[in-house]
Amino acid sequence: MTADAIPSLDIVRTCPYAPPAQHRSFRQEAPIAKVKLPTGATAWAITRHEDIRTLLSDPRFSASRKNPGFPHLSPLVMPALNGKPLLIEMDGQEHAAARRAVVGEFTVKRAAALTARIQQIVDEHIDVMLAGPRPVDLVQALSLPVPSLVICELLGVPYADHGFFQARSALLVSREAPLEAKGLAFFELLSYLDKLVTDKEQNPTDDLLGRQVLKLREEGTYDHESMLNLSFILLIAGHETTANMISLSTLALLKNPEKLAALRQNPDKTLAAVEELLRYFTIAELGVGRVATEDVELGGVLIRAGEGVVALANIGNRDPEVFRDADELDLERGARNHVAFGFGAHQCLGQNLARIELQIVLDTLFRRIPELRLAVPEEKLPFKSDALVYGLHEFPVTW
C-alpha cells in the first residue's frame, strides 16, 4: 500500500453510543490495518478481541514511549521526569517490580474496605443535590467529585486542591488543547506533586503514598522521581476514567427505563450491569499503543520490529465472535472478558475500586432520586469527542 492510500484513523465517534464506522469496517475487511495517526506517523490498527488480548500480553510488544516507533496519538509526548518512566511506559522486570510494589493497595479486599466511606461520599453529594436548585450538572455535582475525593483520600492528596489538578488533567487528556497549554499543565502538576511527595518523605502519612515511602525505604529501593511519577499517573487515572463512566452509565440507564426498572428491583445485578456498561462504552476507546521490538506475526499479519500498533478496544469490545449481539446493551451479560481495563501485565490497577464506585453510585443515585431525568434534549448533550477519554463535558439533570 502506498503512503497516499493509507487511511487516516478516525478518532471521533459520529454516534455517541458506538465506535466510528471506520473501525467496524476494519474489523470486517482488514482486522489488522495500516493507518495514519493524527501525528502523521503510520501504525497498525487492530480490531479483533483475540488479537488485542494477544498484543497486550506478548512481551515482544513494548509500552515504552521512548521507542521511535511508538504510536503516539498526540504531538505532545509527556516527558519523563529525570529520565524516570511512568508505570504505563515500563516493560518486563522493571514494570513487574514497580507494579508489585503498589498492587497490594488495589486488591479486591482493599477496595471492599473502602465501601462504607465511598457510600458516605456518594450520600453526602446527593444530599447537596437534593437540597439545591434544579437542574444540576451531574458531572460537577456527582460524577467528578466522587472519584476525585476517593482517590485523594487513598493517595493522601488534599481534596481542597481538586480544582487545580482536575483542570490540568483535563488539559492533558484533551485532543484539542494547544501544545503549550498541555505542556504547562504537565509541569505545573508535576511541580505540585513534587512538593506533595517531598512532604510525604519528611512526614509519611497513613495513605498510599506515605505507605509506599516507608515500604520502599525499608526495602532500600526508594526513589523520589519514581514516587513522583507514580503519584502523577494514579491521580489522573484515578478520577478521569471513573468520572466519565458515572455520567455515561447514568445516561445509558435513563435511556433504557425498562432496564433501569429491572435493575432497581434487583440491585444484586448491578455489578453485572457495571461490567456491561464498561464494555459498551469502552471510554479509553483507542485502547493502548505498543511497538514491536522484533518481527512478530499477529493475526496472520507480519509486524516488523519498530512498527507501532494501536489496539482499538472500542471495536474489540463489540467483537461478535466474543459477545453475542455485541452492539446491544445487555445489562445481564456480565461478561468480564472485555478489554475496557486493558489486558495482560498492564491491566488497570484501579479496576476493583472503579467497579465498587460505579456500583455504589448507580444503586444510590436511582434509589434516592428515582425520578431523575435529563434536563435537556439528548441531542444537546456535549460528549467528549475532543478528549482521549470519552465521556460528557456536562450532564444537566433534574427530577
Side-chain angles (χ1 to χ4, degrees), residues 280-295:
Y280 184 75
F281 283 110
T282 311
I283 59 173
E285 50 190 339
L286 300 185
V288 292
R290 294 288 185 267
V291 59
T293 57
E294 59 183 87
D295 291 356

Side-chain angles (χ1 to χ4, degrees), residues 32 93 386:
I32 300 181
Q93 290 304 311
D386 58 344

Side-chain angles (χ1 to χ4, degrees), residues 34-108:
K34 185 66 74 69
V35 296
K36 187 179 297 183
L37 303 177
T39 59
T42 59
W44 295 97
I46 63 174
T47 56
R48 286 184 299 216
H49 184 269
E50 179 182 359
D51 291 339
I52 291 173
R53 284 163 65 109
T54 299
L55 169 78
L56 299 181
S57 57
D58 191 328
R60 295 174 295 178
F61 290 100
S62 170
S64 175
R65 272 68 171 167
K66 291 182 178 180
N67 193 303
F70 188 87
H72 296 285
L73 296 175
S74 168
L76 175 67
V77 180
M78 293 190 299
L81 184 65
N82 293 336
K84 300 287 185 179
L86 296 169
L87 186 64
I88 58 172
E89 302 173 313
M90 298 178 186
D91 291 321
Q93 290 304 311
E94 181 185 31
H95 172 258
R99 186 180 176 99
R100 189 164 52 246
V102 73
V103 71
E105 298 279 354
F106 295 96
T107 62
V108 172

Side-chain angles (χ1 to χ4, degrees), residues 210-228:
R211 289 190 292 271
Q212 283 290 297
V213 169
L214 292 175
K215 176 184 175 182
L216 297 177
R217 277 178 175 170
E218 185 177 340
E219 295 174 356
T221 59
Y222 183 75
D223 177 82
H224 175 83
E225 285 74 26
S226 295
M227 185 59 63
L228 174 57

Side-chain angles (χ1 to χ4, degrees), residues 296-363:
V296 184
E297 185 176 309
L298 178 65
V301 173
L302 180 63
I303 297 176
R304 298 287 187 183
E307 291 185 328
V309 186
V310 176
L312 302 184
N314 51 13
I315 201 67
N317 274 340
R318 302 286 183 105
D319 192 331
E321 296 297 320
V322 180
F323 306 102
R324 190 175 71 174
D325 299 324
D327 290 323
E328 298 298 318
L329 180 65
D330 179 0
L331 296 183
E332 297 190 13
R333 190 192 306 268
R336 291 185 62 157
N337 59 334
H338 58 75
V339 290
F341 287 124
F343 190 71
H346 280 274
Q347 194 167 21
C348 176
L349 263 175
Q351 59 182 291
N352 296 318
L353 182 59
R355 287 184 172 105
I356 288 178
E357 289 183 65
L358 286 166
Q359 178 188 19
I360 292 173
V361 168
L362 295 178
D363 280 343

Side-chain angles (χ1 to χ4, degrees), residues 253 258-270 273 331 362-363:
L253 292 174
E258 292 181 0
K259 294 177 179 179
L260 172 57
L263 197 62
R264 290 185 61 211
Q265 291 173 4
N266 193 348
D268 290 342
K269 295 185 176 181
T270 303
L331 296 183
L362 295 178
D363 280 343

Side-chain angles (χ1 to χ4, degrees), residues 110-244:
R110 279 274 193 174
L114 296 173
T115 298
R117 176 56 182 148
I118 296 171
Q119 183 67 64
Q120 181 184 19
I121 290 170
V122 173
D123 278 322
E124 288 172 351
H125 282 82
I126 293 178
D127 286 344
V128 174
M129 285 175 58
L130 290 171
R134 288 170 276 175
V136 63
D137 177 10
L138 197 75
V139 172
Q140 297 301 322
L142 189 71
S143 303
L144 187 55
V146 167
S148 292
L149 184 50
V150 171
I151 196 64
C152 279
E153 292 188 357
L154 179 65
L155 295 180
V157 176
Y159 184 67
D161 298 332
H162 69 279
F164 172 86
F165 66 74
Q166 286 171 359
R168 280 144 188 86
S169 63
L171 281 170
L172 292 177
V173 299
S174 170
R175 291 195 184 110
E176 298 181 358
L179 296 186
E180 296 80 4
K182 295 180 77 167
L184 178 61
F186 176 74
F187 284 109
E188 286 179 339
L189 191 51
L190 276 183
S191 178
Y192 169 82
L193 292 171
D194 185 34
K195 182 180 183 303
L196 179 73
V197 170
T198 299
D199 290 343
K200 301 290 183 185
E201 292 166 347
Q202 295 171 354
N203 180 30
T205 44
D206 188 17
D207 46 53
L208 187 149
L209 295 180
R211 289 190 292 271
Q212 283 290 297
V213 169
L214 292 175
K215 176 184 175 182
L216 297 177
R217 277 178 175 170
E218 185 177 340
E219 295 174 356
T221 59
Y222 183 75
D223 177 82
H224 175 83
E225 285 74 26
S226 295
M227 185 59 63
L228 174 57
N229 285 0
L230 177 67
S231 66
F232 176 87
I233 199 68
L234 292 180
L235 182 61
I236 292 180
H239 76 274
E240 275 286 346
T241 50
T242 306
N244 287 313

